[in-house]
Amino acid sequence: MSDPLIRADGLSVHFTLGGLFDRRILKAVDNVSLDIEQGSFFGLVGESGSGKTTLGRALLKAVTISKGSARYDDGEVSHDLASLDGPDLKDYRKRAQLIFQDPYAALSPRMTVRDIIAEPLEVMGLTANRAETDERVREIAAKCRLNLEHLRRFPHAFSGGQRQRISIARALVSGPKFIVADESVAALDVSIQADVLNLLKQLQDELGLTFLFISHDLSVVAHTCDHVAVMYLGRLVETAPTRKLFAAPRHPYTKALFSAIPSLDPDDRGTAQKLTGEIPSPTNQPTGCKFHTRCPHAIDLCMREEPQLESEGGHDVACHRWKELMSAVPA
Amino acid sequence: MTPLIEVENLTLQFRTDEGLITAVEDVSFTLMKGEVMGLVGESGSGKSVTAKALMHLNARNAVYAPGSRITLHTEAGPVDVLSLKTPRELNIVRGGAISMIFQEPMASFAPAITIGKQMVEQLQLHSDMTRAEAKALSIEMLDRVGISDTARRFGQYAFELSGGMRQRAMIAMALSTKPALLIADEPTTALDVTIQAQVIDLMKDLVDEFHMGIIFITHDLGVVAQTADKVNVMYLGRLIEEGPVRGVIRDPKHPYTQGLIAALPKLDDLDAPLTPVPGDIPSPLERPRGCVFNTRCAQIVGEACHRTMPPEIPVDESHQVACHIYREDRE
């Protein structure tokens, strides 16, 4: 196997809140280690407040990494993300890009589609003259299934799916290797969502991209990603190849997420094992296992001691009781 | 069963700078007392506009076509909703016989007034309760929807509640006036799956308890399968299929409904490719001639599709579809 494109080791992002007397630390991402292999479509799931967006931003060096390290290595160059600045940071901006959630908010209404897509090239100074810029814009627009006539128009004239294709073209125009897609299909209608997902997969193939795909929608993740990591309150609780994870989830939280997906079968109502309560505040985290306040299987040990990721058969899980629970209830 | 609300030939246009835009065209349906209807469609299909018409709540530039009729059956007799004019008359439907829950609970509560004060205010507006009675009922309703520590929550502001909690408070507020009809516009879309499952359960319990009619507006067919008795599918302002939830989801007849179900990523078959409905929904300024779906339909049967909008054709006694494929007299 090739070296991973992204390797995070004990990565933490902490924010300091409050003033002089009520200083609190918010651990948005806490001690996360993961490898994203070159060319993979890596899914990151969790509820709001789980830290998945912050982790994505940390890997783009859009927030400061508080502790631990993260390394980017595409074979050409290698960057240590925690200490990146100056010309190296500029170089990394070219290699790592973000696709946003809301295609209505992400595009300036005052710029034409051509200018929106060309802006990263101009800002980064990647092209020598206007003719070269135009050529790059046309090339990437065609790959994203936008036609030349679209380039002269303003974003308001486009539907959600078309706007998201414009955002994708803008993210890809600088020729990045690593793309963070943060809930990039969540705001789209179901009939369009599949189209954008297929486009992302196709671009991944054609351009040799590596994706970190952040989503709360497990069925979308199951269909697009080859590897999935599940986050809860800033910690990684489970990570595995997609098939393994969906065939036999090990963490009680992952199981609860699966069973909460509303079934398409009208006669399959109310069989789910529902989670009670909500995700605790990240400023006031529970002791021990972060999930014990909502876990139906929590015991004394879970309240005292935080479980570490255990690996077995390429499938990692952080739970004290997973083996016991797997043998008791066949998946 | 007795009818609760009857919509006949509802056609609604908006007067804009760019001309008259047709948002809803010739929609008719009936909702019985205690029945839950799912209203499905993508953005721009007219589902929210239809729901707002039931409360005569559309903006001032809305033009109702002469034949449009909405009849609400209250205890005091039938009310012709579209003929209501003064605020006093409109209060019969708005917040009186009909309550509405919106997608984003943060935007629906006034940010600078406590939750409790808002609940009491609307109760006093719609009944002759005293302040003390209204407060007691509000606290009881908050308790009913599963909010703990209700006395404290009553004095809090919307921002102090978590997303799931706010949506529960919104439901409590909507139900405290004991409406005969509840309109829920994407009530779970902004919530995490685990919280969505809790809110869906809560709504099912409340239907059983209060025996009111519900119109559930959503684009999520899973949510519809879990909650609704019958489904109406809309596309570009037209009702294109209606029927019982099992019939429509297991054996969809309209090519659009079939496409919508095929586009959903399914968890039981990860190898199945995602099949989008091709193309984008047309702008309402460029409504296609003939059948509204003809620009994206893969099953065009002939000239008729481009010439005339098909009538609603019965599949069985309760399931109807507006598509030329099912016309026996087609050329």
Side-chain angles (χ1 to χ4, degrees):
Chain A
M1 199 184 276
S2 57
D3 276 347
L5 182 77
I6 297 280
R7 166 162 283 173
D9 195 7
L11 181 77
S12 303
V13 179
H14 297 174
F15 298 106
T16 314
L17 301 181
L20 200 55
F21 301 108
D22 58 345
R23 185 171 299 251
R24 283 162 297 156
I25 305 282
L26 189 158
K27 295 181 175 174
V29 176
D30 198 23
N31 198 14
V32 166
S33 301
L34 55 83
D35 285 355
I36 302 177
E37 301 296 334
Q38 188 115 229
S40 82
F41 214 106
F42 194 100
L44 190 57
V45 291
E47 289 172 89
S48 22
S50 62
K52 53 193 197 300
T53 294
T54 308
L55 177 60
R57 307 235 152 161
L59 295 179
L60 287 171
K61 186 73 183 168
V63 291
T64 311
I65 295 170
S66 316
K67 256 193 277 179
S69 72
R71 201 155 189 90
Y72 168 91
D73 186 353
D74 63 7
E76 254 170 63
V77 288
S78 167
H79 289 304
D80 176 7
L81 300 186
S83 62
L84 205 60
D85 62 358
D88 282 347
L89 182 58
K90 264 194 169 163
D91 179 72
Y92 188 58
R93 290 275 177 265
K94 192 174 76 188
R95 293 169 193 273
Q97 281 287 336
L98 176 66
I99 303 173
F100 294 93
Q101 170 171 7
D102 184 355
Y104 289 86
L107 306 176
S108 165
R110 291 160 184 273
M111 290 165 81
T112 62
V113 171
R114 183 260 168 210
D115 290 345
I116 287 171
I117 300 176
E119 197 179 28
L121 292 175
E122 283 156 3
V123 170
M124 294 183 209
L126 296 177
T127 47
N129 52 47
R130 200 181 157 90
E132 198 184 330
T133 309
D134 278 340
E135 201 193 309
R136 282 283 283 279
V137 170
R138 277 201 293 270
E139 191 187 323
I140 201 74
K143 282 207 164 70
C144 297
R145 285 192 270 116
L146 296 163
N147 58 41
L148 288 180
E149 187 215 343
H150 286 155
L151 295 178
R152 284 198 305 271
R153 296 206 230 158
F154 289 89
H156 74 87
F158 294 93
S159 67
Q162 287 168 322
R163 280 175 201 236
Q164 199 55 292
R165 295 208 292 271
I166 297 168
S167 313
I168 294 170
R170 177 184 162 100
L172 296 183
V173 75
S174 64
K177 297 270 188 288
F178 177 51
I179 303 286
V180 176
D182 192 354
E183 298 278 11
S184 297
V185 298
L188 302 178
D189 284 306
V190 191
S191 75
I192 307 294
Q193 188 175 299
D195 184 49
V196 172
L197 288 172
N198 287 344
L199 176 68
L200 289 178
K201 294 290 271 186
Q202 186 194 336
L203 290 168
Q204 180 196 23
D205 270 358
E206 274 174 36
L207 305 173
L209 305 171
T210 303
F211 274 92
L212 176 66
F213 187 81
I214 301 174
S215 180
H216 69 278
D217 189 332
L218 285 160
S219 31
V220 167
V221 166
H223 272 264
T224 45
C225 299
D226 41 49
H227 206 97
V228 184
V230 183
M231 280 185 86
Y232 188 79
L233 266 188
R235 309 295 304 243
L236 219 54
V237 296
E238 183 161 8
T239 162
T242 308
R243 260 148 219 289
K244 280 191 181 157
L245 188 79
F246 281 80
R250 290 176 182 173
H251 200 285
Y253 177 61
T254 316
K255 288 181 198 167
L257 278 183
F258 283 169
S259 70
I261 303 171
S263 162
L264 250 189
D265 181 358
D267 291 319
D268 179 23
R269 289 185 181 179
T271 51
Q273 49 161 137
K274 300 276 160 57
L275 270 190
T276 52
E278 301 184 21
I279 193 164
S281 157
T283 51
N284 187 14
Q285 297 195 1
T287 56
C289 175
K290 305 289 178 220
F291 187 56
H292 84 247
T293 54
R294 296 169 81 190
C295 182
H297 310 292
I299 50 172
D300 274 359
L301 176 68
C302 306
M303 290 167 210
R304 278 198 319 269
E305 218 175 286
E306 179 157 16
Q308 299 303 312
L309 275 182
E310 273 173 53
S311 185
E312 196 179 286
H315 184 156
D316 302 359
V317 61
C319 174
H320 290 302
R321 301 188 65 196
W322 76 268
K323 271 193 183 150
E324 201 186 317
L325 294 171
M326 290 297 283
S327 51
V329 208
Chain B
M1 278 206 285
T2 45
L4 174 60
I5 195 159
E6 289 172 273
V7 177
E8 292 158 86
N9 310 103
L10 177 69
T11 297
L12 170 54
Q13 294 175 308
F14 288 101
R15 214 180 284 119
T16 71
D17 293 344
E18 292 162 275
L20 270 181
I21 288 180
T22 306
V24 177
E25 192 172 35
D26 202 14
V27 165
S28 304
F29 62 84
T30 304
L31 185 76
M32 300 292 171
K33 287 205 167 97
E35 200 173 36
V36 182
M37 183 181 100
L39 189 56
V40 184
E42 52 198 287
S43 18
S45 62
K47 53 193 195 306
S48 293
V49 175
T50 304
K52 282 186 184 163
L54 302 182
M55 298 170 85
H56 207 338
L57 201 63
N58 279 305
R60 258 183 222 170
N61 61 348
V63 185
Y64 292 87
S68 306
R69 244 184 114 74
I70 297 173
T71 315
L72 177 73
H73 297 273
T74 64
E75 278 163 22
V79 177
D80 179 1
V81 175
L82 295 180
S83 70
L84 303 176
K85 293 236 159 47
T86 64
R88 181 182 287 274
E89 287 173 349
L90 284 164
N91 271 348
I92 302 171
V93 288
R94 293 183 187 165
I98 310 181
S99 283
M100 190 155 177
I101 310 172
F102 298 92
Q103 174 171 4
E104 198 9 279
M106 191 65 210
S108 318
F109 278 111
I113 305 174
T114 61
I115 302 278
K117 195 161 179 216
Q118 295 183 54
M119 293 186 73
V120 168
E121 188 185 14
Q122 59 121 16
L123 275 173
Q124 286 191 299
L125 216 59
H126 289 290
S127 66
D128 25 294
M129 274 184 217
T130 63
R131 266 191 78 78
E133 282 167 351
K135 180 173 179 182
L137 177 62
S138 301
I139 289 183
E140 187 198 318
M141 284 309 297
L142 286 174
D143 196 46
R144 252 322 269 113
V145 298
I147 290 179
S148 56
D149 201 2
T150 39
R152 190 166 65 90
R153 296 285 177 207
F154 186 82
Q156 285 186 320
Y157 296 92
F159 75 89
E160 295 176 275
L161 272 57
S162 68
M165 200 82 88
R166 249 181 249 137
Q167 199 57 290
R168 284 164 195 268
M170 189 82 224
I171 294 172
M173 182 160 155
L175 295 184
S176 61
T177 54
K178 303 271 189 304
L181 172 63
L182 177 71
I183 302 173
D185 192 351
E186 303 266 9
T188 61
T189 309
L191 305 176
D192 282 308
V193 272
T194 55
I195 310 299
Q196 169 174 298
Q198 294 172 11
V199 171
I200 288 177
D201 275 2
L202 169 66
M203 294 194 62
K204 281 195 257 186
D205 288 351
L206 294 172
V207 179
D208 292 345
E209 190 179 327
F210 293 90
H211 204 65
M212 64 200 149
I214 298 192
I215 295 181
F216 217 119
I217 303 176
T218 178
H219 66 275
D220 188 332
L221 285 164
V223 172
V224 168
Q226 290 295 303
T227 50
D229 301 316
K230 66 177 195 179
V231 188
N232 282 10
V233 185
M234 287 186 76
Y235 186 82
L236 265 189
R238 283 279 188 171
L239 193 58
I240 53 153
E241 183 159 2
E242 61 175 313
V245 68
R246 284 177 187 77
V248 174
I249 287 184
R250 293 214 184 114
D251 187 17
K253 295 293 180 194
H254 198 282
Y256 174 66
T257 320
Q258 291 168 355
L260 215 52
I261 290 173
L264 279 179
K266 297 188 185 51
L267 276 175
D268 46 13
D269 185 5
L270 297 186
D271 291 319
L274 294 177
T275 35
V277 180
D280 287 299
I281 189 165
S283 143
L285 286 169
E286 300 160 8
R287 282 172 74 83
R289 278 170 49 85
C291 171
V292 283
F293 189 58
N294 68 25
T295 56
R296 297 171 77 187
C297 187
Q299 302 176 44
I300 299 270
V301 289
E303 264 307 294
C305 295
H306 297 284
R307 258 202 329 265
T308 50
M309 180 68 203
E312 288 231 306
I313 298 158
V315 178
D316 53 47
E317 65 264 34
S318 51
H319 191 164
Q320 295 179 38
V321 59
C323 179
H324 286 297
I325 296 174
Y326 303 97
R327 286 186 78 156
E328 280 164 11
D329 57 343
R330 77 170 205 250
E331 63 264 57

Tab-separated table of all heavy atoms in Angstrom, chain A residues 11 23 37 105 110 114 140 156 189 215 251 303:
chain	number	residue	atom	x	y	z
A	11	LEU	N	-4.049	14.421	16.764
A	11	LEU	CA	-4.455	15.784	16.398
A	11	LEU	C	-5.532	16.336	17.341
A	11	LEU	O	-6.543	15.682	17.585
A	11	LEU	CB	-4.982	15.764	14.964
A	11	LEU	CG	-5.431	17.102	14.386
A	11	LEU	CD1	-4.236	17.920	14.003
A	11	LEU	CD2	-6.311	16.882	13.179
A	23	ARG	N	-12.346	31.155	32.287
A	23	ARG	CA	-11.728	30.541	31.127
A	23	ARG	C	-12.123	29.062	31.023
A	23	ARG	O	-12.029	28.321	31.998
A	23	ARG	CB	-10.217	30.665	31.258
A	23	ARG	CG	-9.449	30.173	30.068
A	23	ARG	CD	-8.015	30.557	30.236
A	23	ARG	NE	-7.904	32.020	30.298
A	23	ARG	CZ	-7.383	32.741	29.313
A	23	ARG	NH1	-6.921	32.148	28.252
A	23	ARG	NH2	-7.319	34.046	29.395
A	37	GLU	N	-5.659	7.449	2.794
A	37	GLU	CA	-4.820	6.926	1.721
A	37	GLU	C	-5.005	7.743	0.450
A	37	GLU	O	-6.082	8.285	0.193
A	37	GLU	CB	-5.188	5.462	1.410
A	37	GLU	CG	-5.057	4.501	2.565
A	37	GLU	CD	-3.633	4.335	3.081
A	37	GLU	OE1	-2.688	4.558	2.279
A	37	GLU	OE2	-3.460	4.017	4.264
A	105	ALA	N	-25.007	30.177	-0.646
A	105	ALA	CA	-24.252	31.162	0.118
A	105	ALA	C	-22.799	31.241	-0.340
A	105	ALA	O	-22.133	32.231	-0.107
A	105	ALA	CB	-24.313	30.817	1.604
A	110	ARG	N	-22.454	38.885	-7.221
A	110	ARG	CA	-22.039	39.993	-8.088
A	110	ARG	C	-21.004	39.584	-9.114
A	110	ARG	O	-20.540	40.402	-9.900
A	110	ARG	CB	-21.446	41.111	-7.242
A	110	ARG	CG	-22.471	41.792	-6.384
A	110	ARG	CD	-21.768	42.510	-5.262
A	110	ARG	NE	-22.754	43.098	-4.377
A	110	ARG	CZ	-23.276	44.292	-4.557
A	110	ARG	NH1	-22.909	45.032	-5.568
A	110	ARG	NH2	-24.173	44.762	-3.718
A	114	ARG	N	-17.663	32.780	-14.662
A	114	ARG	CA	-16.271	32.744	-15.110
A	114	ARG	C	-15.351	33.357	-14.061
A	114	ARG	O	-14.323	32.797	-13.710
A	114	ARG	CB	-16.153	33.501	-16.446
A	114	ARG	CG	-14.785	33.498	-17.082
A	114	ARG	CD	-14.076	34.809	-16.805
A	114	ARG	NE	-12.662	34.737	-17.145
A	114	ARG	CZ	-11.734	35.435	-16.518
A	114	ARG	NH1	-12.052	36.233	-15.525
A	114	ARG	NH2	-10.475	35.325	-16.878
A	140	ILE	N	-11.845	23.224	-16.847
A	140	ILE	CA	-12.415	22.653	-15.626
A	140	ILE	C	-13.944	22.732	-15.652
A	140	ILE	O	-14.643	21.844	-15.175
A	140	ILE	CB	-11.831	23.337	-14.356
A	140	ILE	CG1	-12.016	22.434	-13.136
A	140	ILE	CG2	-12.427	24.685	-14.083
A	140	ILE	CD1	-11.073	21.265	-13.116
A	156	HIS	N	-27.349	33.632	-9.757
A	156	HIS	CA	-28.787	33.561	-9.453
A	156	HIS	C	-29.566	32.820	-10.531
A	156	HIS	O	-30.680	32.349	-10.294
A	156	HIS	CB	-29.360	34.966	-9.243
A	156	HIS	CG	-29.518	35.745	-10.517
A	156	HIS	ND1	-30.647	35.649	-11.288
A	156	HIS	CD2	-28.701	36.602	-11.165
A	156	HIS	CE1	-30.515	36.421	-12.352
A	156	HIS	NE2	-29.329	37.003	-12.307
A	189	ASP	N	-31.625	18.634	-3.484
A	189	ASP	CA	-32.757	17.711	-3.569
A	189	ASP	C	-32.271	16.319	-3.923
A	189	ASP	O	-31.256	16.160	-4.592
A	189	ASP	CB	-33.724	18.190	-4.647
A	189	ASP	CG	-34.530	19.363	-4.170
A	189	ASP	OD1	-35.154	19.247	-3.112
A	189	ASP	OD2	-34.530	20.403	-4.849
A	215	SER	N	-20.176	14.188	6.270
A	215	SER	CA	-21.609	14.098	6.059
A	215	SER	C	-22.293	13.575	7.304
A	215	SER	O	-21.708	12.866	8.109
A	215	SER	CB	-21.903	13.161	4.891
A	215	SER	OG	-23.283	13.065	4.687
A	251	HIS	N	-19.344	-0.086	17.463
A	251	HIS	CA	-19.599	0.871	18.539
A	251	HIS	C	-21.104	1.083	18.721
A	251	HIS	O	-21.821	1.219	17.732
A	251	HIS	CB	-18.918	2.203	18.209
A	251	HIS	CG	-18.711	3.076	19.414
A	251	HIS	ND1	-19.738	3.771	20.003
A	251	HIS	CD2	-17.611	3.324	20.166
A	251	HIS	CE1	-19.257	4.423	21.049
A	251	HIS	NE2	-17.967	4.169	21.167
A	303	MET	N	-17.761	4.990	32.857
A	303	MET	CA	-17.826	6.323	33.442
A	303	MET	C	-16.459	6.747	33.966
A	303	MET	O	-16.181	7.919	34.112
A	303	MET	CB	-18.833	6.346	34.587
A	303	MET	CG	-20.254	6.217	34.078
A	303	MET	SD	-21.387	5.886	35.396
A	303	MET	CE	-22.614	4.927	34.509
